[in-house]
Structure formats: C-alpha cells, structure tokens
C-alpha cells in the first residue's frame, strides 16, 4: 500500500534535517539538549534506518555483493533493506532497553525511554565508518559513537559524565564492542 501522508511527512522531515543533525553532532551537548524530546522518537528511528541503509550500501560498495536468485542487484537491495529496515532498528531498541535497565540502577530521576532511544539513534551516526572495513576507521567510528552516547546520556538524563559512563558502559560494550566488532578490531590491531 501507499505510505500515509503523515508518515511520509515524518520521513521527509527526518531526511531533510539529516545534515543539520550531522553538523549538530559536532556540538553534542547542545545537539542532544535541543534535539531529543519526550515522546518524539519517530525522527530518531528514521535516522537509524538511514544510517543502516547508508552503512549497508557502503559495505556493499567495498566488499562482496550477495546474490539472491543469481542476481547481485536483488541481493544488494535485499541486504540493504534487511539492514536498514530490520537490523538497525532492532539493534537500536535492544541497546536502548539495556541502557534503560542500567539507567534504572544509576539514575533514579532519569528521562523517559523514548529519549534514551533518541540518544542511541543519533549517537550511532559515526558507525557509518565501520562499513569501509578498515580497522582504524572502525575504531574511530565506534569510539566516536560511544563518546556521543555517553555525552548524550549525560545531557538528556542530567547525569555527570561518570554516571553516564556507568549507565551506558554495558550497552556500549555489547553494541559497539561485540555487535559491531570493536573488540575484534582492537585485537586485530594489537595482535
């Protein structure tokens, strides 16, 4: 079926403000303080879908393209769609769920779950660098995403950086260290 006008306007809003978001991440405290709003996670989810699609497309551009039914084009479209529409949003919500549990233990007066989802979605922007499959770029992208996650958690939930590290550390280790290969990349570089 057709995309509903309201949903389409949200998608267009998320895409149209993408450049502003990326530029805003250069001033993360201000960015998270002004962009993340209670009960407004739809633009953040669209953002993570776009990040997933861009990352998958770059990965296909530098690596092997899977085939579906003998067609590399179909394989590429399927891979990009699965990554952007399913893997990225599911990973986002799982990370936010773990982060919320950690926040329950470290920040009794925290902001809502929707705001945690937004922090994780926008902070994940630098993971695009992992798509190139160069260890140094992977580490830079993951370190930047982890740093943005801590800063965003501190800003949105009104925590010290130390408490934000406690709240975000475990999900960062799971998502960026294990899921996106940060630990393996470190071992490749030092081993």
């Amino acid at each position: 079926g057709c995309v509903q006008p309201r949903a389409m306007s949200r998608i267009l809003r998320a895409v149209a403000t993408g450049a502003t978001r990326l530029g805003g991440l250069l001033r993360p405290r201000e960015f998270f303080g002004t962009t993340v709003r209670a009960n407004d996670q739809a633009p953040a989810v669209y953002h993570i879908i776009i990040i997933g699609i861009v990352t998958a497309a770059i990965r296909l551009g530098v690596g092997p393209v899977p085939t579906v039914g003998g067609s590399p084009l179909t394989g590429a479209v399927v891979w990009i769609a699965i990554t952007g529409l399913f893997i990225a949003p599911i990973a986002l919500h799982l990370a936010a769920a773990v982060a919320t549990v950690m926040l329950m233990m470290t920040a009794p007066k925290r902001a809502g779950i929707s705001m945690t989802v937004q922090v994780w979605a926008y902070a994940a922007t630098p993971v695009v660098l992992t798509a190139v499959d160069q260890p140094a770029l992977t580490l830079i992208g993951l370190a930047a995403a982890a740093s943005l996650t801590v800063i965003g958690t501190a800003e949105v939930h009104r925590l010290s950086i130390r408490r934000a590290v406690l709240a975000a550390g475990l999900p960062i280790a799971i998502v960026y260290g294990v899921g996106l290969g940060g630990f393996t990349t470190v071992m490749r570089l030092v081993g």
Side-chain angles (χ1 to χ4, degrees):
C2 293
V3 177
Q4 297 297 323
R6 185 174 174 181
M8 181 55 84
S9 90
R10 285 186 174 182
I11 292 168
L12 292 174
R13 185 174 114 202
V15 172
T17 59
T20 303
R21 286 191 184 118
L22 294 177
L25 287 172
L26 298 175
R27 296 175 310 283
R29 281 197 173 272
E30 180 183 325
F31 170 80
F32 287 111
T34 58
T35 304
V36 175
R37 295 188 176 98
N39 303 315
D40 191 25
Q41 74 180 32
V45 173
Y46 296 135
H47 179 84
I48 202 68
I49 289 169
I50 292 166
I51 294 301
I53 288 169
V54 169
T55 303
I58 292 170
R59 187 162 285 147
L60 289 174
V62 298
V65 177
T67 60
V68 172
S71 168
L73 178 60
T74 303
V77 169
V78 168
W79 170 251
I80 290 170
I82 288 173
T83 301
L85 299 176
F86 296 102
I87 296 173
I90 290 169
L92 167 65
H93 284 88
L94 289 174
V98 175
T100 298
V101 170
M102 296 304 295
L103 281 161
M104 291 166 113
M105 294 187 279
T106 58
K109 294 183 178 182
R110 67 198 170 277
I113 295 170
S114 166
M115 294 173 83
T116 303
V117 170
Q118 293 173 66
V119 166
W120 278 81
Y122 297 130
T125 301
V127 303
V128 169
L129 294 176
T130 66
V132 181
D133 197 28
Q134 293 293 320
L137 284 179
T138 295
L139 285 185
I140 290 168
L142 295 178
S147 297
L148 288 170
T149 302
V150 169
I151 293 167
T153 299
E155 183 66 27
V156 167
H157 296 286
R158 292 179 169 70
L159 301 173
S160 67
I161 290 294
R162 189 171 144 204
R163 277 198 179 266
V165 168
L166 289 173
L170 179 61
I172 284 171
I174 292 168
V175 174
Y176 300 137
V178 178
L180 290 173
F183 296 144
T184 304
T185 303
V186 168
M187 297 307 291
R188 279 172 62 192
L189 285 173
V190 299

